[in-house]
Amino acid sequence: MIDNEIENRSKVIVRTSIVGIATNVVLSAFKAAIGFITGSIAVTLDAVNNLSDALSSVITIVGAKLANKLPDKKHPLGYGRIEYLSAMIVAAIVLYAGGTSAVESVKKIIHPEAADYSTISLVIIAAAVVVKLVLGKYVKSQGERVNSGALVASGADALFDAILSASVLASAIVFVTTGVSLEAYVGVLISLFIIKSGIEMLKDTLDDILGKRTDGDTAKEIKKILTSEKPVRGAYDLILNDYGPNKSIGSVHLELPDTMTVEELDVLTRKLQNRVYKETGVILTGVGVYSYNTKNDEASKIRSDVLKIVKSHEWALQMHGFYVDVAEKTLRFDVVLSFAVAPEEGVAILTKEVSEAFPEYSVHIAPDVDLG
């Protein structure tokens, strides 16, 4: 089922990108012709922008094809992250187009040249606005449907292009009706929007490559699945590693009773791993275990007292994995710390306070990062 979804996703990306390429090439050709005939720098830059969009779609197709390659010995987790690299290339192209457009527009402001618009050129520019609006909505919706950042970015860019083309049309109408030429300034405006779009695309892609906070909805869904089984009291430390769109590999800790056998644990974890994969597409490669006390009433009271100590600090967000060995006089738990405190400092403070409250116990605290 998942393999079919990946294959269909690739087909949607390629098909949508081809539609974008064809549309942008046609629009670029018409706008370039109008820009040449009328001498309009704004229309010419709009044509260049459409051409860069077409090139971006070509790179998106190449990236999707390469990312869909099967895993091999050298890359056992597949090539999904290639899509992020292709998105970076697209962002670089957009930034280059924006920078070049800005330079040419400033030149036209310094050395202005009057444009000569005809009725047919105005009609074509107006038609281009409508086409870009339709294309933008189509590409963006397809990108959201298959979780393709490159398509979503292309769709958003096309919608911006429609606004920019509308500004070109408005400046042309102003020139025709009043004789006031604003097109060079509109060219600068277009350039700034292109550069802004490129920077945002680059930032989003870098976030994916560097690793960003796990999506809250996905984390909640996985934890809901894990805690739906009766022996599981809690699911913690969920970490998802992104190996490309729709391909996440993760690990988690489950809080389970100290009476479970290894056999029971094996059956439970395999069942949960299968459920998580079928329902979310996430592969849980590691399932760790926290045990909780079920045989000793004293442990429950100690846990309640320790939780009060932990919760007295704003930077201590959560306590889990709590276990007391009354015979050995050891006490251990994990605490999730906010980024407002250094892990070493937070652990030192809590260890001191808990040790003072329970001097007969050896206290062992493991810090956890606030992952989401």
Side-chain angles (χ1 to χ4, degrees):
M1 180 68 179
I2 297 294
D3 291 337
N4 289 335
E5 289 178 0
I6 292 174
E7 184 178 351
N8 291 334
R9 177 179 182 275
S10 179
K11 288 180 179 178
V12 169
I13 292 174
V14 171
R15 183 174 62 247
T16 306
S17 297
I18 289 174
V19 171
I21 291 169
T23 304
N24 281 306
V25 167
V26 171
L27 288 176
S28 179
F30 274 112
K31 289 179 181 178
I34 294 172
F36 178 76
I37 293 170
T38 63
S40 170
I41 182 64
V43 176
T44 301
L45 293 181
D46 211 11
V48 172
N49 187 33
N50 287 145
L51 195 59
S52 72
D53 290 344
L55 182 57
S56 298
S57 295
V58 171
I59 294 172
T60 298
I61 291 176
V62 174
K65 286 291 185 182
L66 292 175
N68 209 32
K69 285 178 62 178
L70 294 175
D72 53 34
K73 187 174 182 180
K74 191 173 183 180
H75 299 95
L77 295 174
Y79 292 79
R81 286 178 173 173
I82 285 180
E83 279 201 33
Y84 300 146
L85 297 179
S86 65
M88 286 189 71
I89 295 173
V90 170
I93 291 173
V94 172
L95 284 172
Y96 176 78
T100 303
S101 300
V103 171
E104 293 302 317
S105 297
V106 171
K107 286 181 180 179
K108 287 293 183 179
I109 291 176
I110 298 173
H111 304 290
E113 294 179 11
D116 184 18
Y117 294 101
S118 63
T119 302
I120 187 64
S121 66
L122 297 179
V123 171
I124 292 175
I125 296 173
V129 174
V130 176
V131 171
K132 269 295 188 176
L133 281 173
V134 174
L135 179 66
K137 289 183 178 180
Y138 169 71
V139 173
K140 189 175 182 180
S141 65
Q142 293 293 88
E144 290 172 344
R145 184 164 74 87
V146 298
N147 189 27
S148 170
L151 283 185
V152 171
S154 294
D157 187 44
L159 292 173
F160 269 122
D161 289 347
I163 297 173
L164 297 179
S165 294
S167 67
V168 172
L169 178 63
S171 67
I173 293 173
V174 168
F175 178 75
V176 170
T177 56
T178 67
V180 177
S181 179
L182 301 174
E183 64 159 34
Y185 298 95
V186 171
V188 172
L189 180 65
I190 292 174
S191 304
L192 293 176
F193 270 107
I194 296 173
I195 292 171
K196 179 177 179 290
S197 176
I199 291 173
E200 289 175 349
M201 289 171 64
L202 189 61
K203 180 179 178 297
D204 289 342
T205 306
L206 285 174
D207 284 343
D208 287 324
I209 292 174
L210 291 173
K212 56 186 179 183
R213 181 180 291 271
T214 300
D215 176 67
D217 292 336
T218 302
K220 286 179 182 177
E221 185 178 0
I222 293 174
K223 288 181 178 180
K224 183 179 179 181
I225 293 170
L226 295 173
T227 55
S228 65
E229 295 292 327
K230 285 187 177 179
V232 182
R233 189 164 77 171
Y236 307 100
D237 309 328
L238 177 64
I239 297 176
L240 299 183
N241 297 305
D242 190 350
Y243 286 91
N246 295 343
K247 186 170 185 181
S248 294
I249 295 175
S251 62
V252 70
H253 277 92
L254 303 180
E255 197 166 36
L256 300 169
D258 56 4
T259 54
M260 284 191 74
T261 65
V262 174
E263 181 181 6
E264 291 171 332
L265 179 62
D266 181 61
V267 172
L268 175 66
T269 55
R270 288 177 185 273
K271 178 182 179 182
L272 288 174
Q273 284 172 315
N274 287 331
R275 278 193 61 193
V276 169
Y277 180 66
K278 287 180 180 179
E279 296 179 31
T280 69
V282 173
I283 303 170
L284 287 180
T285 56
V287 180
V289 174
Y290 293 127
S291 62
Y292 62 85
N293 299 92
T294 59
K295 307 170 186 175
N296 194 297
D297 292 336
E298 183 182 351
S300 178
K301 183 179 184 308
I302 294 174
R303 184 184 188 281
S304 178
D305 291 340
V306 171
L307 183 59
K308 289 179 182 178
I309 295 173
V310 172
K311 286 296 185 181
S312 68
H313 300 282
E314 291 185 358
W315 40 260
L317 305 178
Q318 183 191 78
M319 183 184 80
H320 57 259
F322 186 90
Y323 192 82
V324 177
D325 189 327
V326 178
E328 295 294 328
K329 294 298 180 182
T330 59
L331 185 159
R332 65 177 184 265
F333 62 90
D334 289 18
V335 61
V336 178
L337 302 174
S338 75
F339 293 100
V341 65
E344 299 82 2
E345 181 186 354
V347 169
I349 293 172
L350 291 175
T351 300
K352 180 177 180 294
E353 293 180 358
V354 174
S355 296
E356 289 175 351
F358 301 94
E360 70 275 23
Y361 282 88
S362 174
V363 179
H364 303 278
I365 304 174
D368 280 343
V369 179
D370 177 21
L371 297 172

